[in-house]
Amino acid sequence: MTFDSLKMEPLFRADARLEIEERETTCQCQACGNGFTITDKYWFICPSCEDLRAEVLSGRELYIEHYQGEEIAAE
Ligand SMILES: [Zn+2]
């Protein structure tokens, strides 16, 4: 299937549903090495030393857990 044919045909039915699961963001402080998770806001401050240089270890990913529905029959 080419990209042009994907543009021509709708990929999902009109009644398709998208479910998004929020995941925790895990960071590690670059100053003191403290590991912490961000659950509330996107506020990347180390709770231990209040340094702003936190490296994001996980939580960047966005994926579709599952897609449920019927394929649109080709006519
Ligand atoms: Zn720190």
Side-chain angles (χ1 to χ4, degrees):
M1 181 175 270
T2 65
F3 183 67
D4 280 341
S5 65
L6 279 174
K7 286 193 294 186
M8 297 294 289
E9 297 174 26
L11 191 57
F12 299 107
R13 291 165 55 103
D15 61 352
R17 275 159 33 100
L18 177 66
E19 293 183 23
I20 296 175
E21 177 186 350
E22 286 189 33
R23 308 188 68 102
E24 282 188 342
T25 303
T26 310
C27 293
Q28 184 172 32
C29 178
Q30 295 299 287
C32 72
N34 178 44
F36 59 99
T37 56
I38 293 164
T39 53
D40 210 4
K41 300 166 184 168
Y42 294 101
W43 198 242
F44 297 85
I45 293 179
C46 173
S48 175
C49 71
E50 299 188 341
D51 197 280
L52 286 166
R53 289 168 294 159
E55 184 189 1
V56 177
L57 300 177
S58 70
R60 285 184 188 275
E61 66 269 37
L62 171 68
Y63 69 95
I64 297 175
E65 192 166 69
H66 69 272
Y67 165 68
Q68 190 174 10
E70 296 170 29
E71 286 185 30
I72 296 171
E75 288 171 26

Coordinates of all heavy atoms in Angstrom, one line a residue:
M1 N 0.9 -1.2 0.0 CA 0.0 0.0 0.0 C 0.9 1.2 0.0 O 1.8 1.4 0.8 CB -0.9 0.0 1.2 CG -1.8 1.2 1.3 SD -3.0 1.0 2.7 CE -4.3 0.1 1.9
T2 N 0.7 2.1 -0.9 CA 1.5 3.3 -1.0 C 0.9 4.4 -0.2 O -0.3 4.4 0.3 CB 1.6 3.8 -2.4 OG1 0.3 4.2 -2.9 CG2 2.1 2.7 -3.4
F3 N 1.7 5.5 0.1 CA 1.2 6.6 0.9 C 0.0 7.3 0.2 O -0.9 7.8 0.8 CB 2.3 7.6 1.2 CG 1.9 8.7 2.0 CD1 1.6 8.5 3.4 CD2 1.9 10.0 1.5 CE1 1.2 9.6 4.2 CE2 1.5 11.1 2.3 CZ 1.1 10.8 3.6
D4 N 0.1 7.4 -1.1 CA -0.9 8.0 -1.9 C -2.3 7.3 -1.7 O -3.3 7.9 -1.6 CB -0.6 8.1 -3.4 CG 0.4 9.2 -3.7 OD1 0.5 10.1 -2.8 OD2 1.1 9.2 -4.7
S5 N -2.2 6.0 -1.7 CA -3.5 5.3 -1.5 C -4.0 5.4 -0.1 O -5.2 5.4 0.1 CB -3.3 3.8 -1.9 OG -2.4 3.1 -1.0
L6 N -3.1 5.6 0.9 CA -3.5 5.9 2.3 C -4.3 7.2 2.3 O -5.2 7.4 3.1 CB -2.3 5.9 3.2 CG -1.8 4.6 3.7 CD1 -0.5 4.8 4.5 CD2 -2.8 3.8 4.5
K7 N -3.8 8.2 1.6 CA -4.5 9.5 1.6 C -5.8 9.4 0.9 O -6.7 10.1 1.3 CB -3.6 10.5 0.8 CG -2.4 10.9 1.6 CD -1.7 12.1 1.0 CE -1.2 11.8 -0.4 NZ -0.4 12.9 -1.0
M8 N -6.0 8.5 0.0 CA -7.3 8.4 -0.7 C -8.3 7.7 0.1 O -9.5 8.1 0.1 CB -7.1 7.6 -2.0 CG -6.2 8.3 -3.0 SD -6.8 9.8 -3.6 CE -8.2 9.2 -4.7
E9 N -7.9 6.7 0.9 CA -8.9 5.9 1.7 C -8.8 6.3 3.1 O -7.7 6.4 3.7 CB -8.6 4.4 1.5 CG -8.7 3.9 0.1 CD -8.2 2.5 0.0 OE1 -8.3 1.8 1.0 OE2 -7.8 2.1 -1.1
P10 N -9.9 6.5 3.8 CA -9.9 6.7 5.2 C -9.3 5.5 6.0 O -9.7 4.4 5.7 CB -11.4 7.0 5.6 CG -12.1 6.3 4.5 CD -11.3 6.4 3.3
L11 N -8.4 5.7 6.9 CA -7.8 4.6 7.6 C -8.6 4.0 8.7 O -8.6 2.9 9.0 CB -6.4 5.1 8.2 CG -5.5 4.1 8.7 CD1 -5.1 3.0 7.6 CD2 -4.2 4.8 9.2
F12 N -9.4 4.9 9.3 CA -10.3 4.4 10.4 C -11.7 4.7 10.1 O -12.1 5.6 9.4 CB -9.9 5.2 11.7 CG -8.5 5.0 12.1 CD1 -7.6 6.0 12.0 CD2 -8.1 3.8 12.7 CE1 -6.3 5.8 12.4 CE2 -6.8 3.6 13.1 CZ -5.9 4.6 13.0
R13 N -12.6 3.9 10.6 CA -14.0 4.1 10.5 C -14.4 5.3 11.3 O -13.7 5.7 12.2 CB -14.8 2.9 11.0 CG -14.6 1.6 10.2 CD -15.1 0.4 10.9 NE -16.5 0.6 11.4 CZ -17.5 0.1 10.9 NH1 -17.4 -0.7 9.8 NH2 -18.7 0.3 11.3
A14 N -15.6 5.8 11.0 CA -16.1 7.0 11.6 C -16.3 6.8 13.1 O -16.2 7.7 13.9 CB -17.3 7.5 11.0
D15 N -16.6 5.5 13.5 CA -16.9 5.2 14.9 C -15.6 4.7 15.6 O -15.7 4.2 16.7 CB -18.0 4.2 15.0 CG -17.7 2.9 14.3 OD1 -16.6 2.8 13.7 OD2 -18.5 1.9 14.5
A16 N -14.5 4.9 15.1 CA -13.2 4.5 15.7 C -13.0 5.3 17.0 O -13.4 6.4 17.1 CB -12.0 4.6 14.8
R17 N -12.4 4.6 18.0 CA -12.1 5.3 19.3 C -10.6 5.2 19.6 O -10.0 4.2 19.3 CB -12.8 4.6 20.5 CG -14.3 5.1 20.6 CD -15.1 4.0 21.4 NE -14.3 3.3 22.4 CZ -14.3 3.6 23.7 NH1 -15.1 4.6 24.1 NH2 -13.6 2.9 24.6
L18 N -10.1 6.3 20.1 CA -8.7 6.4 20.5 C -8.6 6.5 22.0 O -9.2 7.4 22.6 CB -8.0 7.6 19.8 CG -6.5 7.8 20.2 CD1 -5.7 6.7 19.6 CD2 -6.1 9.1 19.6
E19 N -7.9 5.5 22.6 CA -7.7 5.5 24.0 C -6.2 5.8 24.3 O -5.3 5.2 23.8 CB -8.1 4.2 24.6 CG -9.5 3.9 24.5 CD -9.9 2.6 25.2 OE1 -9.2 2.1 26.1 OE2 -11.0 2.0 24.8
I20 N -6.0 6.8 25.2 CA -4.7 7.3 25.5 C -4.4 7.0 27.0 O -5.1 7.3 27.8 CB -4.5 8.8 25.2 CG1 -4.6 9.0 23.7 CG2 -3.1 9.2 25.7 CD1 -4.6 10.5 23.3
E21 N -3.3 6.3 27.2 CA -2.9 6.0 28.6 C -1.7 6.9 29.0 O -0.7 7.0 28.2 CB -2.4 4.5 28.6 CG -1.9 4.1 30.0 CD -1.3 2.7 30.0 OE1 -1.5 2.0 28.9 OE2 -0.7 2.3 30.9
E22 N -1.9 7.6 30.1 CA -0.8 8.4 30.5 C 0.3 7.6 31.3 O -0.1 6.7 32.0 CB -1.4 9.5 31.5 CG -2.1 10.6 30.7 CD -2.5 11.8 31.6 OE1 -1.7 12.1 32.5 OE2 -3.6 12.3 31.4
R23 N 1.5 8.0 31.0 CA 2.6 7.2 31.7 C 3.4 8.2 32.4 O 3.5 9.4 32.1 CB 3.4 6.6 30.6 CG 2.7 5.7 29.6 CD 3.6 4.9 28.8 NE 4.3 3.9 29.5 CZ 4.0 2.6 29.6 NH1 3.0 2.2 28.8 NH2 4.6 1.8 30.3
E24 N 4.0 7.7 33.5 CA 4.9 8.5 34.3 C 6.2 8.9 33.6 O 6.7 8.1 32.8 CB 5.3 7.8 35.6 CG 4.2 7.8 36.6 CD 4.7 7.2 38.0 OE1 5.7 6.5 38.0 OE2 4.0 7.5 39.0
T25 N 6.7 10.1 33.9 CA 7.9 10.5 33.3 C 9.0 10.3 34.3 O 8.9 10.9 35.5 CB 7.9 12.0 32.8 OG1 6.8 12.1 31.9 CG2 9.1 12.4 32.2
T26 N 10.0 9.6 34.0 CA 11.1 9.3 35.0 C 12.3 10.1 34.6 O 12.7 10.2 33.4 CB 11.5 7.8 34.9 OG1 10.3 7.0 35.1 CG2 12.5 7.5 36.1
C27 N 12.9 10.8 35.5 CA 14.0 11.7 35.3 C 15.2 11.3 36.3 O 15.0 10.8 37.3 CB 13.7 13.2 35.5 SG 12.5 13.8 34.3
Q28 N 16.3 11.7 35.8 CA 17.5 11.6 36.7 C 18.2 13.0 36.7 O 18.5 13.5 35.7 CB 18.5 10.5 36.3 CG 19.6 10.4 37.3 CD 20.5 9.2 36.9 OE1 20.6 8.8 35.8 NE2 21.0 8.5 38.0
C29 N 18.4 13.5 37.9 CA 19.1 14.7 38.1 C 20.6 14.7 37.7 O 21.3 13.7 38.0 CB 19.0 15.2 39.6 SG 19.9 16.7 39.9
Q30 N 21.0 15.6 36.8 CA 22.3 15.6 36.3 C 23.3 16.1 37.4 O 24.5 16.0 37.3 CB 22.4 16.4 35.1 CG 21.6 15.8 33.9 CD 22.1 14.4 33.5 OE1 23.2 14.3 32.9 NE2 21.4 13.4 33.9
A31 N 22.8 16.8 38.4 CA 23.7 17.4 39.4 C 24.0 16.5 40.5 O 25.1 16.3 40.9 CB 23.0 18.7 39.9
C32 N 22.9 15.8 41.1 CA 23.2 15.0 42.2 C 22.9 13.5 42.0 O 23.1 12.6 42.8 CB 22.3 15.4 43.4 SG 20.6 15.1 43.3
G33 N 22.3 13.2 40.8 CA 22.1 11.8 40.4 C 20.8 11.2 41.0 O 20.5 10.0 40.8
N34 N 20.0 12.1 41.6 CA 18.7 11.6 42.2 C 17.8 11.2 41.1 O 17.6 12.0 40.1 CB 18.2 12.7 43.1 CG 16.8 12.4 43.7 OD1 16.6 11.3 44.2 ND2 15.9 13.3 43.6
G35 N 17.1 10.1 41.2 CA 16.1 9.7 40.3 C 14.7 10.0 40.8 O 14.5 9.9 42.0
F36 N 13.9 10.6 40.0 CA 12.5 10.9 40.5 C 11.5 10.9 39.3 O 11.9 10.9 38.1 CB 12.5 12.3 41.1 CG 13.0 13.4 40.2 CD1 12.1 14.2 39.5 CD2 14.3 13.7 40.0 CE1 12.5 15.3 38.7 CE2 14.8 14.7 39.1 CZ 13.8 15.5 38.5
T37 N 10.3 10.8 39.6 CA 9.2 10.7 38.6 C 8.4 12.0 38.7 O 8.2 12.6 39.7 CB 8.3 9.5 38.8 OG1 7.7 9.6 40.2 CG2 9.0 8.2 38.7
I38 N 7.9 12.4 37.5 CA 7.1 13.5 37.4 C 5.7 13.0 37.1 O 5.4 12.4 36.1 CB 7.6 14.4 36.2 CG1 8.9 15.0 36.5 CG2 6.6 15.5 35.9 CD1 9.7 15.6 35.4
T39 N 4.8 13.3 38.1 CA 3.5 12.7 37.9 C 2.5 13.9 37.8 O 1.4 13.7 37.2 CB 3.1 11.9 39.2 OG1 3.3 12.8 40.3 CG2 3.9 10.7 39.3
D40 N 2.8 15.0 38.3 CA 1.9 16.1 38.3 C 1.9 17.0 37.1 O 1.2 17.0 36.2 CB 2.1 16.9 39.6 CG 0.9 17.5 40.2 OD1 -0.2 17.3 39.6 OD2 1.0 18.2 41.2
K41 N 2.9 17.9 37.2 CA 3.1 18.9 36.1 C 4.4 18.5 35.4 O 5.2 17.7 35.8 CB 3.2 20.3 36.7 CG 2.0 20.7 37.4 CD 2.3 22.0 38.3 CE 1.1 22.3 39.1 NZ 1.4 23.3 40.1
Y42 N 4.6 19.2 34.3 CA 5.8 19.0 33.5 C 6.8 20.0 34.1 O 7.1 21.1 33.6 CB 5.6 19.3 32.0 CG 4.8 18.2 31.5 CD1 3.4 18.4 31.2 CD2 5.3 16.9 31.2 CE1 2.6 17.4 30.7 CE2 4.5 15.9 30.7 CZ 3.2 16.2 30.4 OH 2.4 15.2 29.9
W43 N 7.3 19.7 35.3 CA 8.1 20.6 36.1 C 9.4 19.8 36.5 O 9.4 19.0 37.4 CB 7.3 20.9 37.3 CG 7.8 22.2 38.1 CD1 8.2 22.2 39.4 CD2 7.8 23.5 37.6 NE1 8.5 23.5 39.7 CE2 8.3 24.3 38.7 CE3 7.5 24.1 36.4 CZ2 8.5 25.7 38.5 CZ3 7.7 25.4 36.2 CH2 8.2 26.2 37.3
F44 N 10.4 20.0 35.7 CA 11.6 19.2 35.7 C 12.6 19.7 36.7 O 13.7 20.1 36.4 CB 12.2 19.0 34.4 CG 11.3 18.4 33.4 CD1 10.4 19.1 32.7 CD2 11.4 17.0 33.1 CE1 9.5 18.5 31.8 CE2 10.5 16.4 32.2 CZ 9.6 17.1 31.6
I45 N 12.2 19.8 38.0 CA 13.1 20.2 39.0 C 13.4 19.1 40.0 O 12.5 18.4 40.4 CB 12.5 21.4 39.8 CG1 12.4 22.6 38.9 CG2 13.3 21.7 41.1 CD1 11.8 23.9 39.5
C46 N 14.6 18.8 40.3 CA 15.0 17.8 41.2 C 14.5 18.1 42.6 O 14.7 19.1 43.1 CB 16.6 17.7 41.2 SG 17.1 16.5 42.5
P47 N 13.7 17.1 43.2 CA 13.2 17.4 44.5 C 14.2 17.3 45.6 O 14.0 17.8 46.7 CB 12.2 16.2 44.7 CG 12.6 15.1 43.8 CD 13.3 15.8 42.6
S48 N 15.4 16.8 45.3 CA 16.5 16.7 46.3 C 17.3 18.0 46.3 O 17.5 18.5 47.4 CB 17.3 15.5 45.9 OG 18.4 15.4 46.8
C49 N 17.8 18.4 45.1 CA 18.7 19.6 45.2 C 18.2 20.8 44.4 O 18.8 21.8 44.3 CB 20.1 19.2 44.6 SG 20.1 18.9 42.8
E50 N 17.0 20.6 43.8 CA 16.3 21.7 43.0 C 17.1 22.2 41.8 O 16.9 23.3 41.4 CB 16.0 22.9 44.0 CG 15.0 22.5 45.1 CD 14.6 23.7 45.9 OE1 15.2 24.7 45.8 OE2 13.6 23.5 46.6
D51 N 17.9 21.3 41.3 CA 18.6 21.6 40.0 C 17.6 21.4 38.9 O 16.7 20.6 38.9 CB 19.8 20.7 39.9 CG 20.8 21.2 38.9 OD1 20.6 21.0 37.7 OD2 21.8 21.8 39.3
L52 N 17.8 22.2 37.8 CA 17.0 22.1 36.6 C 17.5 21.1 35.6 O 16.8 20.8 34.6 CB 16.8 23.5 36.0 CG 15.9 24.4 36.8 CD1 16.1 25.8 36.3 CD2 14.4 24.0 36.7
R53 N 18.7 20.6 35.8 CA 19.3 19.7 34.7 C 18.9 18.3 34.9 O 19.7 17.5 35.4 CB 20.8 19.9 34.7 CG 21.3 21.2 34.2 CD 22.7 21.4 34.5 NE 23.0 21.5 35.9 CZ 24.2 21.3 36.5 NH1 25.2 21.0 35.7 NH2 24.3 21.4 37.8
A54 N 17.6 18.0 34.7 CA 17.2 16.6 34.8 C 17.1 16.0 33.4 O 16.6 16.6 32.4 CB 15.8 16.6 35.4
E55 N 17.6 14.8 33.3 CA 17.6 14.0 32.1 C 16.4 13.1 32.1 O 16.1 12.4 33.1 CB 18.9 13.2 31.9 CG 18.9 12.5 30.6 CD 20.0 11.5 30.5 OE1 20.8 11.3 31.5 OE2 20.2 10.8 29.4
V56 N 15.6 13.2 31.1 CA 14.4 12.3 31.0 C 14.8 10.9 30.6 O 15.5 10.7 29.6 CB 13.4 12.8 30.0 CG1 12.2 11.9 29.8 CG2 12.9 14.2 30.4
L57 N 14.5 9.9 31.5 CA 14.9 8.6 31.2 C 13.8 7.8 30.5 O 14.1 7.0 29.7 CB 15.2 7.8 32.6 CG 16.4 8.5 33.4 CD1 16.5 7.7 34.7 CD2 17.7 8.4 32.6
S58 N 12.6 8.0 30.9 CA 11.5 7.3 30.3 C 10.2 8.2 30.3 O 10.1 9.1 31.2 CB 11.2 6.0 30.9 OG 10.6 6.2 32.2
G59 N 9.3 7.9 29.5 CA 8.0 8.7 29.5 C 7.9 9.5 28.3 O 6.9 10.2 28.1
R60 N 8.9 9.5 27.4 CA 8.8 10.3 26.2 C 7.9 9.5 25.2 O 7.4 10.2 24.2 CB 10.2 10.4 25.5 CG 11.1 11.4 26.2 CD 12.3 11.5 25.4 NE 13.4 12.3 26.0 CZ 13.5 13.6 25.9 NH1 12.6 14.3 25.2 NH2 14.4 14.3 26.5
E61 N 7.7 8.2 25.4 CA 7.1 7.5 24.3 C 5.6 7.7 24.3 O 4.9 8.1 25.2 CB 7.3 6.0 24.6 CG 6.7 5.4 25.8 CD 7.6 5.5 27.0 OE1 8.4 6.4 27.1 OE2 7.5 4.5 27.8
L62 N 5.1 7.7 23.1 CA 3.7 7.7 22.8 C 3.3 6.6 21.9 O 3.9 6.5 20.8 CB 3.3 9.1 22.2 CG 1.8 9.2 21.7 CD1 0.9 9.2 22.9 CD2 1.6 10.4 20.9
Y63 N 2.5 5.7 22.3 CA 2.2 4.6 21.4 C 0.7 4.3 21.6 O 0.0 4.6 22.5 CB 3.0 3.4 21.7 CG 2.8 2.7 23.0 CD1 1.9 1.6 23.1 CD2 3.4 3.1 24.2 CE1 1.6 1.0 24.3 CE2 3.1 2.5 25.4 CZ 2.2 1.4 25.5 OH 2.0 0.8 26.6
I64 N 0.2 3.7 20.5 CA -1.2 3.2 20.5 C -1.2 1.8 21.1 O -0.6 0.9 20.5 CB -1.8 3.3 19.1 CG1 -1.8 4.7 18.6 CG2 -3.2 2.7 19.1 CD1 -2.2 4.9 17.2
E65 N -1.9 1.6 22.2 CA -1.9 0.4 22.9 C -2.6 -0.7 22.1 O -2.1 -1.8 21.8 CB -2.5 0.5 24.3 CG -2.3 -0.7 25.1 CD -2.6 -0.5 26.6 OE1 -3.8 -0.3 26.9 OE2 -1.7 -0.4 27.4
H66 N -3.8 -0.3 21.6 CA -4.5 -1.3 20.7 C -5.4 -0.5 19.8 O -5.9 0.6 20.2 CB -5.1 -2.4 21.4 CG -6.3 -2.0 22.2 ND1 -6.2 -1.5 23.5 CD2 -7.6 -1.9 21.9 CE1 -7.4 -1.2 24.0 NE2 -8.3 -1.4 23.0
Y67 N -5.7 -1.0 18.7 CA -6.7 -0.5 17.8 C -7.8 -1.6 17.6 O -7.4 -2.7 17.3 CB -6.1 -0.1 16.5 CG -7.1 0.1 15.4 CD1 -8.0 1.2 15.5 CD2 -7.3 -0.7 14.3 CE1 -9.0 1.4 14.6 CE2 -8.2 -0.5 13.4 CZ -9.1 0.6 13.5 OH -10.0 0.8 12.6
Q68 N -9.0 -1.2 17.9 CA -10.1 -2.1 17.8 C -11.1 -1.6 16.7 O -11.4 -0.4 16.7 CB -10.8 -2.3 19.1 CG -11.8 -3.4 19.2 CD -12.3 -3.6 20.6 OE1 -12.1 -2.8 21.5 NE2 -13.0 -4.7 20.8
G69 N -11.4 -2.4 15.8 CA -12.3 -2.0 14.8 C -12.2 -2.9 13.6 O -11.4 -3.8 13.5
E70 N -13.1 -2.7 12.7 CA -13.1 -3.5 11.4 C -12.4 -2.7 10.3 O -12.5 -1.5 10.3 CB -14.6 -3.8 11.0 CG -15.3 -4.6 12.0 CD -16.8 -4.7 11.7 OE1 -17.1 -4.6 10.5 OE2 -17.6 -4.9 12.6
E71 N -11.8 -3.4 9.5 CA -11.2 -2.8 8.3 C -12.4 -2.4 7.4 O -13.4 -3.0 7.3 CB -10.3 -3.7 7.6 CG -9.0 -3.9 8.3 CD -8.0 -4.8 7.5 OE1 -8.1 -4.8 6.3 OE2 -7.2 -5.5 8.1
I72 N -12.1 -1.3 6.7 CA -13.1 -0.9 5.7 C -12.9 -1.7 4.5 O -11.8 -1.8 4.0 CB -12.9 0.6 5.4 CG1 -13.2 1.5 6.6 CG2 -13.8 1.0 4.2 CD1 -12.9 2.9 6.5
A73 N -14.0 -2.4 4.1 CA -13.9 -3.3 2.9 C -13.6 -2.5 1.7 O -14.2 -1.5 1.4 CB -15.2 -4.1 2.8
A74 N -12.7 -3.0 0.9 CA -12.4 -2.4 -0.4 C -13.5 -2.7 -1.3 O -14.1 -3.8 -1.4 CB -11.1 -3.0 -0.9
E75 N -13.8 -1.6 -2.1 CA -15.0 -1.8 -3.0 C -14.5 -2.0 -4.4 O -13.4 -1.5 -4.7 CB -15.9 -0.6 -2.9 CG -16.7 -0.6 -1.6 CD -17.5 0.7 -1.4 OE1 -17.8 1.3 -2.4 OE2 -17.7 1.0 -0.2
Ligands
ZN1 ZN 19.5 16.8 42.2

